[in-house]
């Protein structure tokens, strides 16, 4: 049973429940993929049916962003809590490390995935890094083959939305991995090239504002946020 927010169905889970579910998917026959849409991505899905299909086709759809939580509540179908992709990833890595599982890192600018791999290895002893590749490639086939050869259990796909969702839907089965997670800018955070907002900002639902201050080029994309709220209000009136 998913909670519909403007055509995207969200799983109603806490962060811990989502991580547990991720592990269940990892133990089951694959492939499965996880997406973490924010309001901006929901707006992209409204305009792009292929993106919407890829997002809704995921085994887990997690609400990344306070806007989704507010939108779901306004529609009278509240979600339990915000499940930021990066926190989901951290919980999953703890569990994977405990079981000696392996991870392939795909995405971000050249060199970033390597740095992320080094840091994650230190942070999660027991975690095996199966391979890395940057996110600026022309053809899918060599990457898919590299992942397959690596034997990775999980792949973090950080290509930005909706590119990563489309990539996972299309290529997931051929990678041989059991779980793929679309995590946007998380690779930069793992590598330490981008800092997460301090706790205060996150707790007050202002992470988006912190990120905007650090990278004003995000403003154009963020104009989709007020649009999202307008669409939620319109939808609420229809109910
Ligand atoms: N990216 C990539 N290949 C591309 C386009 C983007 O690897 O063709 C990477 C980019 O370098 C960045 C991430 O995808 O690391 C997208 O980050 P963004 O902050 O846009 O994602 P968000 O977390 O906001 O979805």
């Amino acid at each position: 049973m998913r909670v519909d927010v403007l055509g995207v169905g969200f799983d109603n889970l806490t962060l811990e429940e989502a991580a547990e579910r991720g592990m269940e998917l990892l133990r089951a026959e694959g492939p499965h993929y996880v997406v973490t849409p924010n309001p901006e991505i929901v707006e992209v899905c409204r305009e792009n049916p292929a993106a919407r299909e890829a997002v809704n086709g995921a085994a887990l759809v997690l609400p990344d962003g306070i806007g989704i939580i507010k939108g779901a509540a306004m529609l009278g179908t509240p979600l339990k809590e915000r499940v930021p992709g990066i926190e989901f990833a951290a919980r999953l890595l703890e569990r994977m490390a405990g079981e000696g599982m392996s991870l392939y890192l795909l995405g971000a600018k050249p060199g970033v995935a390597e740095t992320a791999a080094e840091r994650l290895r230190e942070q999660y002893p027991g975690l095996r890094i199966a391979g890395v590749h940057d996110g600026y490639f022309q053809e899918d086939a060599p990457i898919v083959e590299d992942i397959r050869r690596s034997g990775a259990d999980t792949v973090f796909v950080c290509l930005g939305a909706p590119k990563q969702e489309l990539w996972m839907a299309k290529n997931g089965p051929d990678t041989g991995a059991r779980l793929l997670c679309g995590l946007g800018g998380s690779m930069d955070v793992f590598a330490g090239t981008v800092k997460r907002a301090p706790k205060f900002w996150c707790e007050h639902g202002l992470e988006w504002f912190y990120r905007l201050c650090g990278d004003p080029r995000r403003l154009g994309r963020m104009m989709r946020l007020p649009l999202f709220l307008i669409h939620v209000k319109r939808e609420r009136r229809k109910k």
Side-chain angles (χ1 to χ4, degrees):
M1 274 278 286
R2 283 184 167 166
V3 170
D4 182 89
V5 178
L6 304 182
V8 173
F10 287 89
D11 288 292
N12 191 11
L13 302 170
T14 64
L15 177 59
E16 290 301 326
E17 287 167 350
E20 272 312 309
R21 184 84 191 102
M23 286 308 284
E24 280 167 26
L25 293 174
L26 248 173
R27 290 187 198 107
E29 275 296 303
H32 298 283
Y33 63 94
V34 181
V35 297
T36 62
N38 57 19
E40 215 183 291
I41 300 173
V42 171
E43 280 300 315
V44 169
C45 290
R46 281 173 54 90
E47 292 156 17
N48 179 341
R52 186 171 58 229
E53 206 176 302
V55 166
N56 284 328
L60 261 182
V61 183
L62 304 173
D64 188 340
I66 192 71
I68 300 293
I69 301 300
K70 291 231 154 89
M74 283 164 72
L75 292 167
T77 46
L79 287 160
K80 287 181 186 168
E81 66 180 0
R82 201 164 80 94
V83 183
I86 188 131
E87 287 175 29
F88 167 78
R91 300 296 192 289
L92 192 74
L93 290 178
E94 272 168 26
R95 289 164 167 83
M96 284 178 59
E99 299 191 18
M101 288 179 164
S102 63
L103 175 70
Y104 190 104
L105 295 170
L106 174 62
K109 299 211 174 98
V112 177
E114 282 85 349
T115 311
E118 274 168 38
R119 291 184 44 155
L120 291 177
R121 226 183 255 127
E122 278 169 27
Q123 226 176 322
Y124 300 98
L127 179 72
R128 290 185 295 126
I129 302 291
V132 299
H133 200 287
D134 67 74
Y136 296 85
F137 50 87
Q138 301 302 322
E139 285 174 51
D140 292 346
I143 312 287
V144 169
E145 186 51 32
D146 195 44
I147 298 174
R148 178 175 275 288
R149 264 202 307 254
S150 80
D153 296 304
T154 301
V155 189
F156 283 180
V157 185
C158 302
L159 304 173
K163 196 170 177 182
Q164 62 203 10
E165 287 76 13
L166 294 166
W167 198 91
M168 293 190 295
K170 175 168 171 245
N171 298 297
D174 295 331
T175 62
R178 267 173 297 170
L179 191 69
L180 300 99
C181 306
L183 295 169
S186 299
M187 191 82 82
D188 297 295
V189 178
F190 291 140
T193 46
V194 170
K195 296 259 174 301
R196 262 207 96 189
K199 220 168 161 202
F200 172 86
W201 298 75
C202 295
E203 281 173 2
H204 289 78
L206 290 169
E207 187 168 9
W208 61 272
F209 185 61
Y210 181 89
R211 293 182 75 181
L212 177 63
C213 294
D215 184 4
R217 283 169 306 176
R218 297 181 77 90
L219 186 62
R221 299 170 30 175
M222 282 196 168
M223 294 316 285
R224 288 214 178 92
L225 193 64
L227 203 60
F228 170 80
L229 290 173
I230 291 168
H231 289 145
V232 167
K233 282 189 183 145
R234 201 183 288 161
E235 188 66 29
R236 184 173 57 178
R237 256 183 262 129
K238 275 199 242 156
K239 281 198 168 186

